[in-house]
Amino acid sequence: MSLIVQKFGGSSVANAERVMNVAKIVTETYAKGNDVVVVVSAQGDTTDDLIAKAEEINPNGSKREKDMLLAAGEQISISLLAMAIEKLGYPAVSLLGWQAGFETTNIHTSARIKKVDPSRIRHELDKKRIVVVAGFQGLAKTDDITTLGRGGSDTSAVAIAAAMHADLCQIYTDVEGVYTADPRKVENARKLKEISYDEMLELATLGAQVLNNRSVEMAKKYNIELEVLSSMTRASGTIVKEKTKMEKMLISGVAKDTDVARISVTGIPNEPGLAFKIFSKLSAKDINVDIILQSIGHDGKKDISFTVPKSRGAEAAEALKDYIENFDGTEILVDKSVAKISIVGAGMESHAGVATKMFEALYDAQVNIQMISTSEIKVSVLIDENDADKAVKAIHAKFFD
């Protein structure tokens, strides 16, 4: 007998038909003699709809109240799925995040999991019940409900798998696994049989929407083997694990991220310590900075450009405004019409010329590169947002056709 954690995203439980489909998948796993814990997201676009309702009532409502509102989405999903499982003749119980033992930080709308006490889940499993847990949520020490941010249900599932030493954690979504590019945008995208944690973490961080990057980070830390597969078909999925047996390809995938803003600070003095002061102000606001480019201009001046999440662009500029005003002729420019395109692959470590091949593909497609960032297993470029889909297709064709 194995302990299996299964997570189903919003599209998998979007309506009554799909809820029943999920119930069949879960009960089939249970009927094979396994203990099953199911983690569920809010149905379909429920979270977006709730956010819209909040904006309609009070665009400046507190984050605490937003968490109280957003947590309702998962509560609906778990109760409906538990009812569907019962209809099929199997015992089930639904648990909210706090009932399932999730203790989080008190950072509303983006809390982090501090620990999971799975004693209630174990108690229900001992009663031979299928346990259906609300993903994306937990409880702070203040007894306030918190949410984990976008994609938080993935992290919830992996956290339960780690706390309970599960034999397998399956992440069900609307695609059949991890692909070399978004199969909905690139016709000849290939499904990978397996991928390493490091490659998957890079892809998730760089815009691939199959898995939440925090969930991959946690799976790597606790060595939880993940399987990404579709709830719509019964096809085999992609295994995410520490080491893969397959011969390393040059790259494992191409990712696109349009949630990017480019901030340019121009005409600042070319003096030691200014870069530190600029980025420390962003760090104090908890604004993540990604690609950074510094160039030396004329008359002892320099320019610094960097990228931040699009939703934080205006806030980043405002955080620097007072400091930058101390210098004559200095400007802060915010460009939200950009996209980050990345290639990822452990094969880069042993193959020269991978970046050159990527740049050649962009040249052939007549796509201009604004900024470049590299690491051992990834290369990212910043381009005009209007060229993003064209760039992904060109790069994918260069490596995989």
Side-chain angles (χ1 to χ4, degrees), residues 47-284:
T47 300
D48 290 334
D49 292 342
L50 291 173
I51 291 172
K53 288 180 184 296
E55 291 288 322
E56 184 181 2
I57 297 297
N58 181 3
N60 300 313
S62 70
K63 290 185 176 181
R64 180 193 182 278
E65 298 309 324
K66 287 181 181 177
D67 274 354
M68 289 289 286
L69 175 67
L70 296 183
E74 280 68 29
Q75 183 168 354
I76 294 169
S77 294
I78 60 172
S79 55
L80 290 175
L81 180 56
M83 292 177 193
I85 292 169
E86 289 174 345
K87 184 177 181 179
L88 295 177
Y90 294 87
V93 62
S94 63
L95 301 177
L96 294 170
W98 67 268
Q99 292 174 306
F102 278 84
E103 182 185 321
T104 74
T105 59
N106 197 33
I107 303 173
H108 287 288
T109 72
S110 58
R112 300 188 76 88
I113 299 169
K114 295 176 69 175
K115 70 175 183 178
V116 178
D117 176 3
S119 55
R120 173 70 185 274
I121 297 176
R122 285 201 178 97
H123 177 69
E124 299 296 346
L125 290 175
D126 288 342
K127 292 182 178 180
K128 301 302 178 183
R129 290 173 172 169
I130 296 170
V131 183
V132 185
V133 177
F136 176 67
Q137 60 179 244
L139 196 71
K141 278 192 173 181
T142 55
D143 285 341
D144 287 324
I145 290 175
T146 58
T147 63
L148 307 179
R150 288 292 189 178
S153 292
D154 289 349
T155 308
S156 298
V158 175
I160 290 174
M164 301 190 69
H165 307 289
D167 297 285
L168 178 63
C169 183
Q170 296 177 311
I171 307 293
Y172 284 86
T173 181
D174 55 356
V175 293
E176 293 185 351
V178 181
Y179 284 75
T180 51
D182 187 341
R184 293 162 291 200
K185 298 291 181 65
V186 180
E187 290 183 4
N188 60 340
R190 303 179 190 176
K191 185 173 71 175
L192 303 173
K193 290 184 178 179
E194 52 187 31
I195 188 171
S196 70
Y197 290 129
D198 288 338
E199 290 170 309
M200 189 66 246
L201 182 57
E202 287 284 8
L203 284 172
T205 303
L206 295 168
Q209 297 177 351
V210 180
L211 280 175
N212 174 271
N213 60 323
R214 282 164 59 185
S215 71
V216 182
E217 203 171 47
M218 187 177 293
K220 176 179 171 63
K221 180 178 180 180
Y222 294 101
N223 197 29
I224 303 298
E225 188 169 296
L226 303 178
E227 182 180 12
V228 181
L229 63 171
S230 172
S231 62
M232 312 302 177
T233 69
R234 298 303 174 96
S236 59
T238 301
I239 299 295
V240 185
K241 57 184 182 178
E242 183 61 46
K243 294 182 180 179
T244 59
K245 297 178 182 178
M246 60 191 291
E247 181 70 24
K248 290 295 181 187
M249 299 181 290
L250 278 180
I251 69 169
S252 297
V254 186
K256 176 184 76 172
D257 186 3
T258 56
D259 182 25
V260 182
R262 174 179 174 173
I263 312 293
S264 298
V265 185
T266 64
I268 59 176
N270 185 23
E271 299 173 359
L274 289 186
F276 161 71
K277 291 176 181 177
I278 287 173
F279 292 114
S280 64
K281 290 186 176 295
L282 299 176
S283 177

Side-chain angles (χ1 to χ4, degrees), residues 15-28:
N15 52 45
E17 181 183 356
R18 291 190 177 182
V19 170
M20 289 305 302
N21 176 60
V22 167
K24 290 175 184 177
I25 294 172
V26 171
T27 54
E28 285 174 10

Side-chain angles (χ1 to χ4, degrees), residues 8-11 13-14 40-47 50 70 72-74 77 153:
F8 294 89
S11 60
V13 292
V40 189
S41 299
Q43 289 185 288
D45 296 324
T46 298
T47 300
L50 291 173
L70 296 183
E74 280 68 29
S77 294
S153 292

Side-chain angles (χ1 to χ4, degrees), residues 332-393:
I332 303 175
L333 306 174
V334 181
D335 184 359
K336 295 185 178 182
S337 61
V338 294
K340 181 171 60 178
I341 308 298
S342 308
I343 57 173
V344 173
M348 293 185 192
E349 297 179 85
S350 55
H351 292 84
V354 176
T356 301
K357 199 169 182 178
M358 178 187 188
F359 300 152
E360 182 183 14
L362 294 171
Y363 168 73
D364 291 341
Q366 291 297 289
V367 175
N368 188 46
I369 299 172
Q370 299 179 18
M371 299 172 74
I372 301 170
S373 174
T374 65
S375 74
E376 289 182 344
I377 64 169
K378 66 104 174 174
V379 179
S380 296
V381 295
L382 197 71
I383 63 173
D384 189 288
E385 186 176 15
N386 293 326
D387 292 330
D389 288 339
K390 177 172 67 172
V392 169
K393 291 176 182 178

